[in-house]
């Protein structure tokens, strides 16, 4: 009954029916009943009409329209702005619940028929540019309107859209396939990082999933996009430090990211200090300046290499053979990797011994697998 009612209301709204229907009622219905459906484990067949690309595109249209209205009425009185912001909040919440429910039922799907339906749905969604871009628009709105709940909803919605794009990339039509890294590149901005920082300020009180959404995005920015410099902002570094001080239980990749960024920051401070010392000693002669620049450039290059080594070590620390995995990404020998890890102080003597044992065990396993 709920699905049929929601579909009928949507159709009436699209037709511009003279019946006085407030769109907010539909958005509230979607948010409330989808959350309820997931809680009571309702059969997918009962809500499948809502978990569709048609409903998603409808919500995207409403999102864009609401964002435009907020921009147009930016200088309006508080009553108008409040109404528009609440309206947009309802749309985003409904959108978030639809994507969350799609994800939930995708993971629960058992029959081949259901899996095919979800694969087709993800394929259609990932091929839609408006679907891929809507989180970027919403993050821009977040930077202008100070609403904690709205920012959290957008962050979760973005996480679900990322998942949908990743899953659907294999099922979208050939000419509409996208590279995930190319899509992620759009999120490597100071504004997005600032939004993440605002959410993490409440890390201790956030849900585990919300924190996961933020750290996953930051991990993409620092790792896949090689834009870790964007995370070296005083306000974010302060948040990272406070998280560590609170002694809160973190997922391994979250702790790794924090340690990597803080280590990178300390190395940059060290590089800056060395440069300042070189300048003081070098005087103002041109030849000295060239020598200083050469020395600092060499040092920066070494620092960058160390950062890469530390990053990949953190990514594969829990692997069966971390050193071999690191060597796949760095143009150097395994023995050189082991030496640098110890010399740079990235690992203790005990950890180094364990890495060697893992590497030897992996090599022995490969030899045993070779037929006589």
């Amino acid at each position: 009954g709920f699905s049929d009612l929601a579909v009928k209301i949507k159709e009436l709204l699209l037709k511009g029916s003279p019946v006085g229907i407030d769109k907010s009622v539909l958005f509230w219905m979607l948010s409330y009943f989808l959350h309820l459906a997931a809680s009571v484990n309702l059969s997918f067949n009962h809500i499948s009409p809502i978990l569709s690309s048609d409903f998603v595109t409808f919500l995207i249209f409403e999102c864009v329209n609401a964002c435009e209205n907020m921009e147009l009425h930016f200088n309006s009185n508080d009553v108008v702005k409040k109404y528009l912001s609440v309206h947009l909040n309802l749309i985003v919440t409904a959108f978030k619940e639809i994507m969350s429910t799609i994800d939930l039922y995708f993971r629960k799907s058992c029959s081949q028929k259901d899996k095919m339906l979800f694969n087709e749905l993800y394929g259609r969604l990932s091929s839609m540019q408006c679907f891929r871009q809507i989180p970027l628009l919403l993050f821009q709105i977040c930077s202008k309107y100070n609403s904690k709940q709205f920012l959290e909803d957008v962050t979760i919605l973005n996480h679900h859209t990322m998942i949908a794009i990743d899953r659907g990339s294999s099922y979208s039509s050939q000419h509409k396939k996208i590279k995930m890294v190319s899509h992620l590149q759009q999120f490597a901005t100071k504004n997005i990082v600032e939004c993440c920082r605002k959410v993490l300020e409440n890390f201790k009180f956030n849900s585990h999933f919300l924190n996961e959404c933020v750290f996953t995005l930051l991990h993409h920015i620092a790792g896949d996009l090689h834009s870790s410099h964007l995370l070296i902002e005083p306000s974010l570094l302060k948040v990272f430090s406070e998280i560590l001080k609170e002694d809160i239980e973190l997922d391994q990749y979250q702790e790794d990211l924090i340690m990597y960024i803080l280590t990178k920051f300390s190395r940059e401070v060290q590089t800056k200090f060395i440069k300042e010392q070189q300048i003081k000693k070098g005087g103002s002669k041109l030849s000295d300046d060239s020598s200083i620049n050469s020395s600092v450039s060499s040092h920066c290059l070494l620092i960058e290499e160390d950062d890469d080594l530390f990053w990949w070590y953190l990514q594969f620390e829990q692997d069966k053979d971390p050193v071999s995995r690191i060597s796949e990404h760095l143009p150097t020998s395994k023995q050189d990797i082991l030496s640098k890890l110890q010399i740079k102080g990235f690992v203790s003597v005990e950890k180094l011994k364990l890495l060697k044992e893992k590497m030897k065990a992996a090599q022995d396993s490969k030899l045993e697998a070779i037929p006589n």
Side-chain angles (χ1 to χ4, degrees), residues 14-124:
L14 290 174
K15 289 177 181 177
S17 173
V19 180
I21 301 175
D22 190 342
K23 292 180 180 180
S24 299
V25 174
L26 174 60
F27 305 141
W28 177 85
M29 279 177 54
L30 291 171
S31 303
Y32 180 80
F33 285 103
L34 283 176
H35 187 75
L36 184 64
S39 301
V40 299
N41 201 22
L42 196 66
S43 171
F44 172 66
N45 294 329
H46 288 93
I47 55 175
S48 57
I50 296 174
L51 306 183
S52 64
S53 56
D54 284 344
F55 245 103
V56 170
T57 51
F58 169 71
L59 289 176
I60 291 172
F61 171 78
E62 291 297 331
C63 265
V64 174
N65 193 39
C67 289
E68 287 181 351
N69 283 332
M70 289 190 73
E71 289 293 307
L72 288 171
H73 295 88
F74 184 76
N75 295 318
S76 299
N77 62 60
D78 291 341
V79 176
V80 174
K81 290 167 68 175
K82 179 69 174 177
Y83 171 79
L84 292 173
S85 63
V86 169
H87 182 69
L88 180 57
N89 279 337
L90 285 170
I91 301 171
V92 171
T93 304
F95 197 172
K96 179 194 70 173
E97 287 300 332
I98 281 186
M99 296 309 302
S100 176
T101 308
I102 290 174
D103 175 59
L104 176 65
Y105 279 82
F106 168 80
R107 287 185 281 109
K108 287 167 53 178
S109 61
C110 298
S111 69
Q112 195 63 32
K113 180 183 176 182
D114 285 349
K115 289 179 180 178
M116 286 179 62
L117 285 173
F118 280 113
N119 289 337
E120 289 174 5
L121 173 59
Y122 279 131
R124 285 195 296 272

Side-chain angles (χ1 to χ4, degrees), residues 215-216 218-220 222-224 226 252-261 307-323 325-326 329 341:
F215 269 104
T216 299
L218 292 177
H219 194 276
H220 283 311
D224 299 322
H226 306 291
Q252 187 62 52
Y253 81 97
Q254 296 173 351
E255 185 177 347
D256 289 346
L257 177 64
I258 291 176
M259 294 307 299
Y260 172 72
I261 295 301
D307 285 342
D308 288 342
L309 175 60
F310 188 43
W311 172 260
W312 291 117
Y313 169 68
L314 291 175
Q315 304 315 300
F316 303 123
E317 184 180 2
Q318 307 301 322
D319 203 81
K320 291 182 179 179
D321 183 10
V323 177
R325 293 300 306 277
I326 294 170
H329 299 273
L341 285 172

